[in-house]
Amino acid sequence: MALDPLNPTPDYLAFWRERHVCTLTTTRPDGTPHVVPVGVTYDPEAGVARVITNKNSKKVRNILAAQPGPARAAVCQLAGRRWATLEGRAVVRTDEAAVAEAVARYAERYGRMPSPNPDRVVLEIRLDRAMGRA
């Protein structure tokens, strides 16, 4: 079922606040999908989903390889019959404020502070599509 990612239903938003391992799908330069497990935070007020990662990761390289065009990405989670997918344009953010905010949101959702990582960056997906059944 299609949803508005900027105005989610209460059940959809509650599902994204639960602790779940998610998947991130990016596109490799050859057009094939690259799918990896990640932690995701969803911020409908800002219209973004965030993934913290290492600046040298394949997911970062995939997003950067799409430039100057838009890099599309999707994050998904499921639990039993409930599932949710968020899609949009992905960018890599390296500034300290963006990384700190993403780490704080991750710690809130997943109940633990990630280990310090000087190579940490944030993948921000500027959302334009949401689907699911929560």
Side-chain angles (χ1 to χ4, degrees), residues 4-9 12-13 16-17 41-50 86 105 127:
D4 179 355
L6 306 181
N7 188 26
T9 65
Y12 193 79
L13 185 56
W16 275 104
R17 289 185 173 146
T41 61
Y42 174 32
D43 180 357
E45 293 82 20
V48 299
R50 293 178 181 89
L86 298 167
R105 288 176 179 273
L127 303 172

Side-chain angles (χ1 to χ4, degrees), residues 31-114:
T32 59
H34 177 252
V35 184
V36 293
V38 294
V40 176
T41 61
Y42 174 32
D43 180 357
E45 293 82 20
V48 299
R50 293 178 181 89
V51 175
I52 56 176
T53 189
N54 190 292
K55 69 180 180 183
N56 298 311
S57 69
K58 178 64 175 164
K59 50 192 159 288
V60 168
R61 292 194 312 271
N62 287 342
I63 291 167
L64 294 176
Q67 294 178 356
R72 297 288 300 174
V75 290
C76 183
Q77 67 179 22
L78 67 110
R81 296 179 147 223
R82 298 181 306 153
W83 63 277
T85 300
L86 298 167
E87 298 178 32
R89 295 177 65 176
V91 296
V92 178
R93 301 275 310 268
T94 59
D95 60 283
E96 282 186 42
V99 173
E101 180 178 2
V103 166
R105 288 176 179 273
Y106 177 96
E108 181 179 335
R109 180 175 189 199
Y110 290 97
R112 70 172 190 83
M113 184 62 71

